[in-house]
Each structure stands twice: as C-alpha cells, then as structure tokens.
Amino acid sequence: MLATALSPEVLAKYEPVIGLEVHVQLLTATKAFCGCANQFGSAPNTNICPVCLGLPGALPVLNAKAVEFATLASLALHCEVRERSIFARKNYFYPDLPKGYQISQYDKPLAEHGWIDVPTAEGSIKRIGITRLHMEEDAGKSLHEGFADSATRTYLDLNRCGTPLIEIVSEPDIRTPDEAFEYLTRLKEILLYTGVSDCNMEEGSLRCDANVSVRLKGAPKFGTKAEVKNVNSFRFVRAALEYEIERQIEVIESGGRVAQESRLWNAGEGKTYSMRSKEQAHDYRYFPEPDLPPLIVSPEFLNHTKKKLPELPEARRARMMAEYELSLKDAYTLTASREFADRFEAAAKTARNPRRVANLLLNELGGRLKALGLEQEQSPISMAGVVLAADLLDEDKISSKQLKQLFDVCFEKGEDFSDVFERERPQQITDVSAIEAMIDQVIAANPKQVEQYSGGKKTMAGFFVGQVMKASKGQANPALLNELVTKKLDG
Ligand code: ADP
Ligand code: ZN
Ligand code: MG
C-alpha cells in the first residue's frame, strides 16, 4: 500500500493491464550447448568449460534433451511449434556473461500462440494468451555478499552460464494481480506435470518479470508499462503488482506520466524502485547465431514428443471430477501435483470405494491438515492409511465417529492410521451378554420410556439404541444392538 491511500472510487476508474515473462530452467543433465553438468549447488566455478565460458574458438552444440523439453512445454501450453526456429545472439556487457552475448531466439522463436486457462474469482474460466516460448541460455551469478571483502569486491560463479532456459511470454491479457497469481500457479503446475523443470523459485529455476500498466476503463489504448524485475515468489509478484498499480494511478491522478522503465521489487519494504529507464535500456543488437544451424523440429519429432505428454492438469481434473464425483475445487486440491494425484489414484484403485478415499482425503484428512497449517507431505496418515480407513468404514467395521477419533489420535501421536487402528482396535462390542447388560441398565433407568414403548410407541426403540450406543462410547455393533434392544423391550 502507498502512504497516500487513493479512494476506492479513484482506483475503480482504472483498469490494470498485465503481461508476464517467465524464465524456466530445464531439468537436463547437461547444459544447453556443452557437456557441463547442469547442477544447482556445486562448488563455484566447477561446472565450466571453454564453451560455456565463451573462450575463443569454442563452438556450441545444441543439447537434444533441451529441445525435447522445450517442445514438450510448448505443446503442453497449446503453442504452435515452428518447424524452423533460429538462435540469435543477444549482445550486452555484464560481468556474469563472459561471452558478451547470450544465445537466445529472437524473431523466429521455437513456439507461439499458446494459452493457459485460469479460474477466475467469479468461478468462470479465463484464457490468457501466450505470445511466444523460446529457448535461451542462462548467465552466471554475481555474488555480492558473504565475503570478508564484500564491501569492495564482487565475486563471480559461472556455473550457471549456459544452463538451458525457456522464456514464456504472456499476452497483456491479465487484468488483476490475482489473475497473475493464478496464471503463474497454473503455468508452474503444467511445467511440473510435464517434468521439464523443478520450478524451484528459491533456487532460481523459475523467475518472473511482471509488466504492468494502467488505463482509464474503456480507453482504446494501453498505458505505458513498467517492468518489475527480480520478484522471487508468486505472492511477491501479486504484492508488487498491487503496489505498482496504485503507484501508477497516483502518478496519473497527480497529473504526471508513468515512465517506461524497469523497476526492482524490494520485498522488505513492499515497494518497487526505479532501476533503469527506457532511455538507458539496452540495444541488444540481435543477429543470427553464426555457430548454430537453424533448429528443425520435424513433424516426426513433434509427434514423437506429443506421445510423451502426460495427462495434463486440466484434462485430469475433468476426468477425476467425473470419476470420483468431485467439485472443481476438490479436483484442484487432488491434482495440485502430479505426484500426489498419481499416489491418490493408485491407492484409490485398491479401495472398495474409491470415492470414499477421495472424500476422506479431502475432508477428514484435509480438514485436519488445514487446521494445523500442515502440507500433505507432513500428514501422519499415509495414503494407504486413508484407504484402510475407507475400507473399514465401507465394511461397517468402524463407525464414522470412531474414524474421527482414530484420525484425532493419529494427529496427536504423529502415527499412521494402520498403527493406531491395530493398537486401539476400536472395539465394536459384539458380545451379546455385554450389550444386553448395558440395555438392562438403560431400561432400568428409564421406566417412563419403557412404558411409552409398551403403550405402542415403537419408535421409542431408537431412544434406547442411542442411549446404549452412548454408554458404549460408540462401540456397540449397531446391527446387533438394534436387534437386542427390540428383543429386550418386546420380551
Ligand atoms: P518490450 O518490448 O518492452 O520487451 P513486449 O511487447 O515484448 O515489450 O512485451 C513484454 C511483456 O509485456 C509481454 O508479456 C506483454 O504482454 C507485456 N506488455 C506489453 N505491453 C504492455 C502494456 N502496455 N501493459 C502491460 N503489459 C504489457
Ligand atoms: Zn560448459
Ligand atoms: Mg520484448
């Protein structure tokens, strides 16, 4: 929030316009154009060679796996893949870029014209266009902190030089910070499903630049945009956009003009700061990379790659909604990761009633996890535990009340369901004389109700069943209890 708060009426006059540029590191074993390990966390400057250092005479060779991953991502994002795309040199001078240029793609990117569907707050679906997806390489890293002489020196780690990236550029179709958050969430989900990246934002595998402008509602043209760089979580993207939208509206409302510039997000302060204006912006002097031939994606290769696409989140949600009778919201929860959805479905298949497994997972387990602020991975109850619980319920071996009690114990003790069930064996009391003894007590204590029953009010039996069930702490076998109560009252 800005210091000078704008009134809701003023804010409502404007419409934000947002477009996102996302860089994603590909999970290949080696780098984009050399055989160096593509690995996070190695000792500085150990995964390097003449090619990724750009030493004179060293020549790049394109990594086939990187092409496959980039193509998979393109297909998963509904892009048209270009049969012949061109690598280009993007020239700029920076210490972490030893070659003095980045190999990227420019006017002939690998893929274009894709889209992602995102759910809106109103419960409908909005399609966000993807302008392009292109391949490029990462630069190294400048280390500004953590050394005794950090005040006077900057260190370089060039391990990341040449790491294969894809850049995914959205159309300026996004209208709110929440929509931007949703777009990023869905994008990450799709990339994780296809397995092309780990999308780990802390390690920089997924990075986002957010472009944003505002215009008066109904205005025919977009306003001037600012690009917010260096935002390293989806929450921060949303916060940076919220801040930036208000800042721009305030500039306009006070008679100024929004400058076309790059801005930096400062998470500590919750503000963006001007980094460089468009006048200082780079002229990258793009030209075709002379050391690499055009990248040819043949129809055969494209078909071959299509076959490697997994069932994608959207399709999977639709199928699972039908199969397990889920709401859309519940389908989102169960498909949040491919690994989790796989584990759920594999387990559910083994259960007597797969829908019951989904139900327990979402409600009994999900509710408890949520209340404690725990992630699914931190659940004491395993998927097999949920299946066992569902089967026991299905076979009337435990009551739903007993199930709740057992789940509570699992969470109290941090133990899995099967362990707690084995130990506690919530006794279904099936011993006839034990149940009869309890019935006798209840009958003796409630002469009025007995009289009513004898007087013809047969529904009174339910009262006795309830009282005995209570006395047995929910353990009496319901079928047996019903039978014995009637027998006693009638006999
Ligand atoms: P640039 O030439 O500055 O790189 P591009 O036209 O390539 O700008 O767009 C970069 C990103 O900014 C894209 O995601 C695009 O959707 C978005 N974008 C373009 N114009 C605007 C605008 N006026 N307001 C908000 N976002 C915009
Ligand atoms: Zn190398
Ligand atoms: Mg651009």
Side-chain angles (χ1 to χ4, degrees), residues 19-295:
L20 301 175
E21 296 168 289
V22 175
H23 288 90
V24 180
Q25 286 182 0
L26 299 176
L27 263 183
T28 54
T30 56
K31 292 186 181 179
F33 303 110
C34 63
C36 291
N38 174 24
Q39 204 168 58
F40 181 85
S42 302
N45 301 308
T46 52
N47 301 329
I48 49 176
C49 75
V51 174
C52 52
L53 291 180
L55 299 186
L59 290 172
V61 177
L62 180 58
N63 181 338
K65 198 73 189 168
V67 176
E68 183 190 312
F69 279 172
T71 308
L72 259 179
S74 303
L75 292 170
L77 297 169
H78 312 101
C79 291
E80 291 163 23
V81 178
R82 194 186 290 274
E83 189 162 350
R84 187 174 189 272
S85 65
I86 304 290
F87 285 100
R89 288 189 184 180
K90 179 177 179 178
N91 299 280
Y92 65 92
F93 183 75
Y94 203 74
D96 65 14
L97 190 73
K99 286 208 296 279
Y101 60 87
Q102 176 192 25
I103 302 179
S104 181
Q105 293 186 311
Y106 184 51
D107 54 354
K108 297 213 164 43
L110 176 67
E112 291 170 296
H113 312 305
W115 44 265
I116 295 179
D117 280 344
V118 301
T120 66
E122 297 79 43
S124 58
I125 294 286
K126 175 165 173 180
R127 183 158 291 184
I128 311 286
I130 290 172
T131 316
R132 55 187 278 150
L133 183 157
H134 68 252
M135 298 183 71
E136 59 184 32
E137 60 176 337
D138 214 340
K141 251 191 276 190
S142 302
L143 309 173
H144 301 288
E145 278 156 44
F147 300 94
D149 50 0
S150 286
T152 51
R153 282 167 200 268
T154 290
Y155 288 80
L156 287 171
D157 177 4
L158 300 176
N159 281 345
R160 207 177 62 179
C161 283
T163 293
L165 299 176
I166 48 176
E167 179 175 344
I168 300 150
V169 181
S170 89
E171 288 288 303
D173 287 347
I174 300 165
R175 289 293 173 271
T176 66
D178 281 335
E179 248 173 59
F181 186 90
E182 270 305 320
Y183 169 88
L184 291 169
T185 306
R186 304 280 70 91
L187 173 62
K188 178 176 167 184
E189 183 185 64
I190 291 167
L191 294 171
L192 284 174
Y193 263 66
T194 53
V196 302
S197 175
D198 61 19
C199 296
N200 185 330
M201 288 190 91
E202 282 101 68
E203 294 180 359
S205 312
L206 189 153
R207 309 194 287 271
C208 177
D209 298 336
N211 300 272
V212 55
S213 62
V214 299
R215 61 174 167 182
L216 282 171
K217 280 183 182 158
K221 287 205 300 190
F222 290 153
T224 305
K225 73 176 160 75
E227 182 184 29
V228 188
K229 296 207 165 258
N230 192 27
V231 202
N232 59 10
S233 86
F234 293 172
R235 265 173 240 273
F236 285 162
V237 171
R238 181 162 56 193
L241 286 169
E242 276 163 4
Y243 174 88
E244 190 55 25
I245 289 164
E246 282 206 37
R247 186 192 68 81
Q248 292 184 13
I249 293 176
E250 186 167 64
V251 167
I252 297 170
E253 282 289 314
S254 57
R257 292 174 108 190
V258 174
Q260 177 151 349
E261 61 184 357
S262 295
R263 298 180 68 88
L264 265 188
W265 168 247
N266 183 316
E269 296 177 34
K271 292 181 177 176
T272 63
Y273 286 97
S274 180
M275 193 167 105
R276 58 166 185 259
S277 75
K278 197 67 183 177
E279 290 77 65
Q280 299 161 271
H282 300 292
D283 171 5
Y284 292 119
R285 294 172 290 121
Y286 279 99
F287 64 86
E289 166 61 59
D291 292 337
L292 286 168
L295 169 57

Side-chain angles (χ1 to χ4, degrees), residues 370-385:
K370 196 169 172 201
L372 294 167
L374 296 178
E375 297 297 325
Q376 193 66 53
E377 302 84 66
Q378 298 167 289
S379 165
I381 302 174
S382 68
M383 202 61 87

